[in-house]
Amino acid sequence: MKDEIVSFETANLARKRGYPQDTFGTTEMKSACYLEDGSFYPNGCICNIECASSAPTQSMLQRWFREEKKISIEIRYNGFSKSFYWACVDMNKGLFSGAKDINMEDYKTYEEALEDALLCNLKYNRKLWNR
């Protein structure tokens, strides 16, 4: 069992939205990263950090949303369809908040639902990015 690394698109958007980059100086990515061309380096690499994005695990990015943005991304199981869906809660207000407050699409795995929730919030959650 291992943690899932976020997709290339999610990692790039996270960097643009302020997710901390795991770098050493201006030329070394210390942990997993993607280069602009989509190349993945699981142990980091030496490159211009302007051309790379840290590739956190899904759980690390989910934690950043929770601790820094006060958005709880919850993955739920639908026993009837035997699939997963996601919901977002604004922890400051105790209300559903986000790109899609509740996404009732069916996902076969927890990880698929979490990846979509992370990506949708990075793309569309205006409450976070227009502050």
Side-chain angles (χ1 to χ4, degrees), residues 3-23:
D3 284 330
E4 292 292 319
I5 298 289
V6 298
S7 69
F8 173 69
E9 182 180 12
T10 302
N12 282 331
L13 275 173
R15 180 188 69 186
K16 291 175 184 172
R17 300 295 193 206
Y19 183 80
Q21 300 299 290
D22 193 14
T23 63

Side-chain angles (χ1 to χ4, degrees), residues 26-87:
T26 59
T27 59
E28 186 176 349
M29 299 297 287
K30 293 187 338 187
S31 59
C33 65
Y34 288 104
L35 297 185
E36 285 180 334
D37 66 0
S39 300
F40 176 67
Y41 292 85
N43 299 313
C45 66
I46 296 185
C47 64
N48 179 343
I49 60 170
E50 298 298 320
C51 301
S53 298
S54 288
T57 63
Q58 289 176 334
S59 61
M60 289 170 59
L61 190 55
Q62 183 181 24
R63 184 176 184 174
W64 178 72
F65 268 105
R66 189 174 57 251
E67 292 180 358
E68 299 298 322
K69 302 299 180 183
K70 303 301 183 213
I71 296 291
S72 175
I73 296 174
E74 301 173 3
I75 308 303
R76 299 177 179 179
Y77 183 70
N78 181 339
F80 294 109
S81 64
K82 296 189 183 331
S83 61
F84 296 88
Y85 66 98
W86 58 265

Side-chain angles (χ1 to χ4, degrees), residues 86-113:
W86 58 265
C88 293
V89 177
D90 183 326
M91 294 166 57
N92 291 321
K93 298 177 183 173
L95 303 171
F96 285 101
S97 170
K100 300 176 184 176
D101 294 336
I102 299 178
N103 182 340
M104 291 300 292
E105 289 184 36
D106 292 334
Y107 299 93
K108 292 179 183 176
T109 68
Y110 179 98
E111 290 77 15
E112 285 177 8

